[in-house]
Amino acid sequence: MAGLLESRTSGPRRLRELLRGPDPVLAPGAYDAMSALLVEQAGFPAVYMTGFGTTASLLGRPDIGLLTMSEMTDAARRIVSAVGVPVIADADNGYGNAINVIRTVHEYEAAGVAAIHLEDQPAPKRCGHMDGKKVIPAGTMAGKIEAAVEARNDPDFVIIARTDARAVEGFGAALERARRYRDAGADMLFLEALQSEAEIEAAAAAFPDTPLLFNWAEGGKTPPTDLTRLTELGYRLVIFPLSTLLAATTAVRDVLAEVAAAGTPVDAVRHLPGLDDFFATVGLPETLDLGKRYDHD
């Protein structure tokens, strides 16, 4: 956990270093600062800010484009402030046209994230593993990627181009769109909702010299794929957007059911961390010591 006075390594620079390493970068999803902190404390080198989870956490609603850019960047800023590892953030479709994308890049950079991914859906967008998606013209999206690349202040800030065309236009069209987005300057490609192992392999073969993101969407349309195989295929970044959200949902349901059955949480707390454990998790001892440093009475 990054201390209140600790200077952080540049997120974009550190992420670039990780992506040049021998193994894929694993980034579990976080939907708020607390879940991001737990991801970091589990030893992962990066955090993925999931739009699906952020929408559920902030609104209790599905990921159908309900959050605004300012709400998403506020969430990103809180997550970045809670951890010392790079944060990769969902930036949806850039919240408008190429001009809007320019502001989106500036705001996410100001929030301190290391990378964003932008998708080729119109507004309102949908979660990548929902049915009924649409895509904008490929040339329009290529222009948005070009605008994003030119807008960034830090050249290490990673622009990830996501295409949702597999579900709309087919796999071949998704590959062609990805090529156009790469040629527009994207640093990494994200072919969303691939539907078979053959497609996962073909995507890797089509872009041997371009970093690829693999979305290990729990319960989604893409088949579960072993990390060893993803490594062999050359995928450089693997995100797990839903594990923490689904686990938290199950845990909260279970404890509430116990409280409802017993009338008090006396039985439920036996299975939960104690307060001292939780205080240590959120850094209370270190924070109190820091306060004493500045108390001169």
Side-chain angles (χ1 to χ4, degrees):
M1 179 175 66
L4 292 177
L5 290 180
E6 183 179 340
S7 61
R8 294 172 174 82
T9 302
S10 166
R13 185 173 68 248
R14 178 58 183 149
L15 180 60
R16 294 269 186 175
E17 292 170 353
L18 290 168
L19 292 172
R20 289 193 292 266
D23 300 315
V25 177
L26 306 184
Y31 49 88
D32 61 9
M34 185 66 199
S35 56
L37 180 60
L38 293 172
V39 169
E40 181 185 45
Q41 291 180 353
F44 290 95
V47 169
Y48 172 64
M49 190 190 96
T50 158
F52 184 108
T54 302
T55 303
S57 176
L58 292 182
L59 301 182
R61 293 289 183 265
D63 183 15
I64 53 172
L66 297 175
L67 287 181
T68 64
M69 184 266 287
S70 59
E71 288 172 313
M72 286 289 283
T73 54
D74 283 347
R77 187 174 294 107
R78 289 190 290 271
I79 286 173
V80 169
S81 295
V83 300
V85 297
V87 175
I88 300 134
D90 186 346
D92 296 315
N93 56 12
Y95 311 102
N97 61 18
I99 302 302
N100 299 102
V101 166
I102 291 171
R103 181 171 180 236
T104 294
V105 169
H106 291 166
E107 294 297 325
Y108 273 93
E109 273 198 287
V113 304
I116 58 170
H117 64 71
L118 297 163
E119 65 203 43
D120 54 5
Q121 291 192 53
K125 53 76 52 91
R126 295 191 178 196
C127 163
H129 291 261
M130 290 181 182
D131 294 327
K133 294 187 296 182
K134 299 178 181 179
V135 291
I136 63 175
T140 301
M141 181 61 182
K144 291 169 73 169
I145 294 299
E146 184 178 355
V149 171
E150 294 184 358
R152 61 186 170 191
N153 294 305
D154 184 346
D156 285 333
F157 185 77
V158 179
I159 303 295
I160 304 168
R162 167 177 149 178
T163 179
D164 285 77
R166 169 61 187 90
V168 183
E169 300 174 341
F171 180 64
L175 289 180
E176 181 54 35
R177 280 175 172 263
R179 290 188 188 96
R180 293 192 66 171
Y181 305 162
R182 176 200 60 194
D183 294 344
D187 301 299
M188 176 176 284
L189 299 175
F190 175 1
L191 283 84
E192 175 65 303
L194 299 179
Q195 296 182 16
S196 68
E197 292 183 12
E199 289 184 359
I200 294 167
E201 294 171 358
F207 299 101
D209 299 319
T210 304
L212 297 181
L213 181 154
F214 184 85
N215 185 13
W216 214 105
E218 301 86 329
K221 296 181 181 297
T222 302
T225 306
D226 185 83
L227 180 60
T228 300
R229 184 59 179 145
L230 293 175
T231 303
E232 292 171 349
L233 292 171
Y235 283 87
R236 300 305 308 137
L237 175 62
V238 182
I239 60 173
F240 308 92
L242 304 180
S243 297
T244 56
L245 177 67
L246 298 178
T249 301
T250 299
V252 171
R253 279 179 176 166
D254 288 349
V255 75
L256 292 175
E258 289 192 50
V259 173
T264 74
V266 65
D267 293 326
V269 296
R270 296 193 181 104
H271 313 298
L272 301 177
L275 280 182
D276 288 342
D277 185 357
F278 186 81
F279 289 154
T281 298
V282 295
L284 178 62
E286 296 89 341
T287 304
L288 293 177
D289 287 343
L290 183 62
K292 293 175 183 177
R293 174 177 170 179
Y294 298 105
D295 185 356
H296 301 300
D297 291 336

